[in-house]
């Protein structure tokens, strides 16, 4: 895909919380892709090229992210930061219509909606990437966030696309398991 300027993967290992060691570390893996926004600076009704870009990015990044975990992926999330010459809908078109299917395929399923966040912002703006359990949308222990950014992205005519997986939830959940169903 010639529209990719940069790829970055991040592996975060959470070992303790407030000095209390984890029973087991939680690994979070994030893939970031910086792509050219073909719709920067202009309105377009048909954003399907961004749908395809989203699917291609997930197919490319997810296998590596899953391999970075110590155990099976149990939570996931996605997001985008659109450069200031674009609009929120450009990020949505990257992450909503087709990106989820290859994400789910890489982790062996996922019945819950993939939590997401999209915004328009300047290069270096942090993205709070929400995480949620892949099968149970009410698992309070898996309501989590990882904050990511790239200092030089997105440029005004780019989109920063982010995908995340984790092999556990928050270390010290004391909010309960979620509603009784």
């Amino acid at each position: 895909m010639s529209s990719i300027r940069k790829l970055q993967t991040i592996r975060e290992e959470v070992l303790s919380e407030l000095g209390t060691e984890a029973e087991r570390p939680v690994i979070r893996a994030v893939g970031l892709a910086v792509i050219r926004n073909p719709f920067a600076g202009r309105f377009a009704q048909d954003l399907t090229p961004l749908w395809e870009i989203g699917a291609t990015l997930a197919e490319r990044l997810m296998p590596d992210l899953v391999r970075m975990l110590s155990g099976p992926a149990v939570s996931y999330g996605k997001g985008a930061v659109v450069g200031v010459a674009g609009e929120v809908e450009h990020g949505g078109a990257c992450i909503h219509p087709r990106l989820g299917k290859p994400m789910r395929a890489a982790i062996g399923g996922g019945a819950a909606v993939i939590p997401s966040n999209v915004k328009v912002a300047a290069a270096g703006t942090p993205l709070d990437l929400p995480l949620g359990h892949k099968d149970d949308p009410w698992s309070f222990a898996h309501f989590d966030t990882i904050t990511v950014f790239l200092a030089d992205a997105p440029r005004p005519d780019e989109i920063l696309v982010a995908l995340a997986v984790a092999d556990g939830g928050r270390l010290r959940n004391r909010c309960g398991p979620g509603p009784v169903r």
Side-chain angles (χ1 to χ4, degrees):
M1 172 185 289
S2 62
S3 66
I4 297 175
R5 178 170 69 85
K6 180 184 280 197
L7 295 172
Q8 181 175 23
T9 56
I10 301 164
R11 182 179 190 270
E12 179 179 79
E13 188 171 353
V14 184
L15 302 170
S16 69
E17 192 69 49
L18 287 175
T20 303
E21 195 170 316
E23 292 177 23
R24 73 165 189 84
V26 172
I27 308 300
R28 298 176 186 150
V30 180
L32 302 173
V34 180
I35 62 165
R36 185 184 62 78
N37 182 352
F39 302 107
R42 65 183 179 91
F43 177 84
Q45 185 64 39
D46 180 6
L47 300 178
T48 55
L50 293 174
W51 301 6
E52 299 306 322
I53 289 169
T56 300
L57 291 173
E59 289 165 0
R60 182 169 181 169
L61 291 170
M62 283 301 294
D64 289 339
L65 299 180
V66 171
R67 281 191 292 275
M68 293 169 78
L69 301 176
S70 293
V74 296
S75 62
Y76 51 21
K78 60 187 178 178
V81 180
V82 179
V84 296
E87 61 176 302
V88 167
E89 198 66 13
H90 298 160
C94 286
I95 68 168
H96 294 309
R98 303 239 171 99
L99 181 136
K101 185 175 181 180
M103 279 188 81
R104 288 181 175 90
I107 64 171
V113 170
I114 304 169
S116 64
N117 187 10
V118 177
K119 61 184 172 181
V120 174
T125 298
L127 176 64
D128 291 328
L129 196 56
L131 297 170
H133 195 280
K134 69 182 187 74
D135 294 313
D136 182 357
W138 291 102
S139 175
F140 289 173
H142 294 87
F143 291 173
D144 206 354
T145 303
I146 185 166
T147 302
V148 297
F149 73 95
L150 289 174
D152 69 341
R155 293 174 180 162
D157 63 344
E158 293 179 333
I159 303 170
L160 170 65
V161 178
L163 301 85
V165 290
D167 63 9
R170 296 186 320 278
L171 291 189
R172 301 278 174 218
N173 173 46
R174 295 179 300 280
C175 296
V180 177
R181 294 179 289 282

